[in-house]
Amino acid sequence: MDAPRESVRPAARLGFGLSGLVIVAMVVVFALQSCATLSEEDCLTVDWGVLGETDGQLGRPLSELNRYRRDCAEYDVVPDSRAYTEGRERGLAVYCTESNGYREGRNGAADRLVCPAALEPGFRRGYDLGRAVHVSLSELRASNDAIGSARAEIDQLESDIADHRESIRSDDLDDEERKGLDDEVDSMERRIKELKRNIGIQTAGLAISIAQYQAAVGAARRDGYDEPMEIELLQALRRLVE
């Protein structure tokens, strides 16, 4: 049976009290520690249950324990596997929530496939919702940037062509210099045609991409996530389509 859905709005679960901030600070410390090779002092003094819980909250795979074994073997220290795995299970209960799945997907993080079977459906639902927003918005921003860059290059090329033609009309150039400028103008005009074709290809799919993004945001909002709509970006893109 699927894990019960959380009853509060996901956006409301993002706040922290004083105790929450302390926990976050502890997680950050252990996160930094567990990213690096464990030192002899770490191996001798670390609380394996706390380290496992931290790794679980960060969605780290169980293979981290093998790395710790290798790090600590040099100092004849064997990690407490039971304490670590029990702590990791507690941590995964925090990581594998639907709201955290949404955050992971929305931030573009890869699905680490670490959630237990009982928690996977809820996490997956949130992850897929967030991932859909992330992917569709990223595509819109990439299209907007590509079109803007192409148009800026066209403007620059047209300005350069005007300068070249002005120079060609000058009496200060010989035939060879004029021929060189003519060749450059021809090259720039070909580049402008190429850029305009690329803009046409980009704009042709914008209406579909905009609809996909709006659908992704709508789905997230219906599930209680306070996902903003990038109105200014959409307005700019619609002008390109029109």
Side-chain angles (χ1 to χ4, degrees), residues 32-43:
L32 293 174
Q33 179 187 56
S34 58
C35 281
T37 300
L38 295 185
S39 66
E40 180 177 12
E41 182 180 0
D42 293 332
C43 293

Side-chain angles (χ1 to χ4, degrees), residues 10-32:
R13 294 197 290 269
L14 300 180
F16 294 103
L18 179 59
S19 60
L21 291 173
V22 172
I23 292 172
V24 170
M26 292 175 62
V27 167
V28 170
V29 170
F30 279 106
L32 293 174

Side-chain angles (χ1 to χ4, degrees), residues 179-212:
K179 177 64 167 59
L181 289 177
D182 277 331
D183 290 343
E184 290 181 13
V185 168
D186 289 343
S187 176
M188 288 187 285
E189 287 179 336
R190 287 194 298 272
R191 175 59 177 164
I192 287 174
K193 289 180 181 178
E194 178 187 0
L195 289 168
K196 287 183 176 179
R197 283 196 299 270
N198 292 339
I199 289 174
I201 293 171
Q202 291 278 355
T203 55
L206 274 181
I208 294 175
S209 297
I210 289 172
Q212 289 174 336

Side-chain angles (χ1 to χ4, degrees), residues 170-179:
S170 171
D171 295 332
D172 298 332
L173 302 180
D174 57 32
D175 291 343
E176 184 176 349
E177 289 172 327
R178 286 192 178 87
K179 177 64 167 59

Side-chain angles (χ1 to χ4, degrees), residues 148-187:
S149 177
R151 287 186 165 179
E153 187 177 349
I154 289 172
D155 289 343
Q156 183 60 55
L157 288 169
E158 289 177 340
S159 176
D160 292 342
I161 288 172
D163 291 342
H164 277 47
R165 286 177 172 161
E166 181 69 25
S167 297
I168 290 171
R169 290 191 291 268
S170 171
D171 295 332
D172 298 332
L173 302 180
D174 57 32
D175 291 343
E176 184 176 349
E177 289 172 327
R178 286 192 178 87
K179 177 64 167 59
L181 289 177
D182 277 331
D183 290 343
E184 290 181 13
V185 168
D186 289 343
S187 176

Side-chain angles (χ1 to χ4, degrees), residues 16-240:
F16 294 103
L18 179 59
S19 60
L21 291 173
V22 172
I23 292 172
V24 170
M26 292 175 62
V27 167
V28 170
V29 170
F30 279 106
L32 293 174
Q33 179 187 56
S34 58
C35 281
T37 300
L38 295 185
S39 66
E40 180 177 12
E41 182 180 0
D42 293 332
C43 293
L44 291 171
T45 62
V46 68
D47 184 322
W48 294 103
V50 173
L51 183 55
E53 187 167 357
T54 299
D55 283 354
Q57 289 185 28
L58 295 172
R60 288 182 173 149
L62 187 58
S63 60
E64 287 292 284
L65 181 57
N66 293 329
R67 182 170 70 85
Y68 301 145
R69 288 194 182 100
R70 292 193 298 272
D71 290 346
C72 295
E74 181 179 353
Y75 313 113
D76 295 323
V77 175
V78 178
D80 187 337
S81 300
R82 180 175 179 179
Y84 178 88
T85 54
E86 289 177 351
R88 181 173 175 274
E89 288 176 2
R90 293 192 300 272
L92 287 176
V94 175
Y95 176 82
C96 296
T97 61
E98 182 177 327
S99 57
N100 191 62
Y102 184 84
R103 280 190 292 269
E104 292 284 277
R106 181 64 177 81
N107 291 333
D111 185 357
R112 302 176 188 182
L113 303 175
V114 296
C115 294
L119 300 178
E120 171 64 20
F123 178 87
R124 167 60 53 187
R125 176 178 174 80
Y127 181 88
D128 288 346
L129 286 168
R131 182 73 179 174
V133 175
H134 171 79
V135 170
S136 58
L137 181 57
S138 296
E139 290 176 352
L140 288 181
R141 286 173 173 166
S143 294
N144 187 57
D145 291 345
I147 293 171
S149 177
R151 287 186 165 179
E153 187 177 349
I154 289 172
D155 289 343
Q156 183 60 55
L157 288 169
E158 289 177 340
S159 176
D160 292 342
I161 288 172
D163 291 342
H164 277 47
R165 286 177 172 161
E166 181 69 25
S167 297
I168 290 171
R169 290 191 291 268
S170 171
D171 295 332
D172 298 332
L173 302 180
D174 57 32
D175 291 343
E176 184 176 349
E177 289 172 327
R178 286 192 178 87
K179 177 64 167 59
L181 289 177
D182 277 331
D183 290 343
E184 290 181 13
V185 168
D186 289 343
S187 176
M188 288 187 285
E189 287 179 336
R190 287 194 298 272
R191 175 59 177 164
I192 287 174
K193 289 180 181 178
E194 178 187 0
L195 289 168
K196 287 183 176 179
R197 283 196 299 270
N198 292 339
I199 289 174
I201 293 171
Q202 291 278 355
T203 55
L206 274 181
I208 294 175
S209 297
I210 289 172
Q212 289 174 336
Y213 168 66
Q214 291 175 317
V217 172
R221 289 178 171 181
R222 284 192 297 273
D223 221 55
Y225 293 95
D226 189 16
E227 180 63 51
M229 187 77 74
E230 298 287 339
I231 300 298
E232 291 184 4
L233 175 61
L234 292 178
Q235 290 174 341
L237 292 170
R238 286 197 183 98
R239 285 194 293 270
L240 294 177

